[in-house]
Amino acid sequence: GESVGLHLPTLSVQEGDNSIINCAYSNSASDYFIWYKQESGKGPQFIIDIRSNMDKRQGQRVTVLLNKTVKHLSLQIAATQPGDSAVYFCAENIGAGGSYIPTFGRGTSLIVHP
Amino acid sequence: KAGVTQTPRYLIKTRGQQVTLSCSPISGHRSVSWYQQTPGQGLQFLFEYFSETQRNKGNFPGRFSGRQFSNSRSEMNVSTLELGDSALYLCASSGGTGGSTDTQYFGPGTRLTVL
């Protein structure tokens, strides 16, 4: 899961395994959540999002679960592949000015071993 | 469609100087957001512009400013640079509708080093 500090938590998995990356968010007023993937030397890339009126959303090989009671978000990646190796972080968003103000988690480094 | 482009990609400045970074959004996108990414603080929201107006602002000092032009291109400026301003500065563009949940597309970033 995510934590504060210079060193990112790391999740190491074998190719083909399922991966679960966790995120604890802080603001109960957050109503929109996004998971991003960031590969070395690149900007973050949108993976999947979920609104606060949902508790689960599925995409291609990815599922996001939202538990508002404990302010917890998770990203599940099915059949993890070496190309999934990257830093993953969540963003909680609070509506403001017709848009959103995001707050990002620190990230989790996912390492997939072939 | 071309992605978000940022110039320059790398920049070295000294303390006290000022710097301007540029971002060209995806064609048709009207919202541009700026972020600072550092190992210590992670990814932090600076500000968002939509149709040449600043719509939201993060918790950064007034030394950090931005603007957006009529073609949606955006610039951010940092005055009186400090060592702690060394970071990767990311720009992201989204939507054409200005919708709050339009997907953001990030550029590769500008790596700023302050000596």
Side-chain angles (χ1 to χ4, degrees), chain A residues 27-79:
Chain A
N27 195 329
S28 57
S30 296
D31 55 2
Y32 177 55
F33 304 87
I34 307 171
W35 278 101
Y36 290 95
K37 170 187 180 183
Q38 187 173 22
E39 296 174 282
S40 181
K42 297 184 178 180
Q45 177 186 359
F46 171 93
I47 300 172
I48 191 168
D49 59 1
I50 188 168
R51 292 181 182 270
S52 59
N53 61 353
M54 304 171 68
D55 53 21
K56 180 179 180 179
R57 189 165 189 217
Q58 289 184 289
Q60 186 177 10
R61 284 202 304 119
V62 294
T63 300
V64 56
L65 299 178
L66 174 63
N67 185 329
K68 294 182 288 294
T69 303
V70 295
K71 292 189 285 188
H72 182 268
L73 199 65
S74 69
L75 176 70
Q76 300 176 1
I77 305 174

Side-chain angles (χ1 to χ4, degrees), chain A residues 4-23:
Chain A
V4 175
L6 289 174
H7 301 289
L8 295 178
T10 299
L11 176 64
S12 290
V13 301
Q14 291 295 129
E15 182 178 0
D17 286 352
N18 295 332
S19 302
I20 300 176
I21 300 171
N22 297 301
C23 173

